[in-house]
Amino acid sequence: MRAVFTTLLFVALAGCATLAERAAAVQRDVDEMIQVYGPGCERLGYRSDTDPWRACVLRLAHRDDLQRRALTTTNCIGHRGFFSCSTF
């Protein structure tokens, strides 16, 4: 029993990322946002590497993230043989 518990614990913890791995993933995300949205913010008149430019990059990334998620809800009611579904 102890061996099973130890094995399950090891498997559960093996999937966890270390702090350094999570920090590296966040840094990659930030670098990608800067590469994608930085030039657009510069064209909008923000000087590179200033706080308003960073806010612009975050605002554009957030806007695109919300558009990609397409917040919709589908509800279906009915019984066997007849369903009525609505999406909004």
Side-chain angles (χ1 to χ4, degrees):
M1 183 67 175
R2 179 178 264 179
V4 172
F5 178 72
T6 305
T7 303
L8 288 176
L9 181 63
F10 178 74
V11 169
L13 292 177
C16 296
T18 66
L19 185 58
E21 291 171 338
R22 286 184 283 182
V26 169
Q27 186 62 44
R28 282 191 303 272
D29 291 343
V30 169
D31 291 341
E32 182 182 347
M33 282 192 305
I34 289 172
Q35 181 182 6
V36 171
Y37 302 109
C41 289
E42 289 172 8
R43 276 185 242 131
L44 288 172
Y46 296 102
R47 285 186 301 145
S48 183
D49 292 331
T50 61
D51 285 340
W53 178 82
R54 291 181 189 95
C56 175
V57 168
L58 291 174
R59 190 171 45 251
L60 291 177
H62 180 69
R63 185 194 68 188
D64 282 355
D65 187 42
L66 288 177
Q67 288 177 349
R68 270 190 240 123
R69 287 186 188 182
L71 303 173
T72 60
T73 303
T74 301
N75 293 319
C76 295
I77 57 171
H79 54 83
R80 191 158 125 181
F82 175 76
F83 285 99
S84 176
C85 296
S86 62
T87 301
F88 55 94

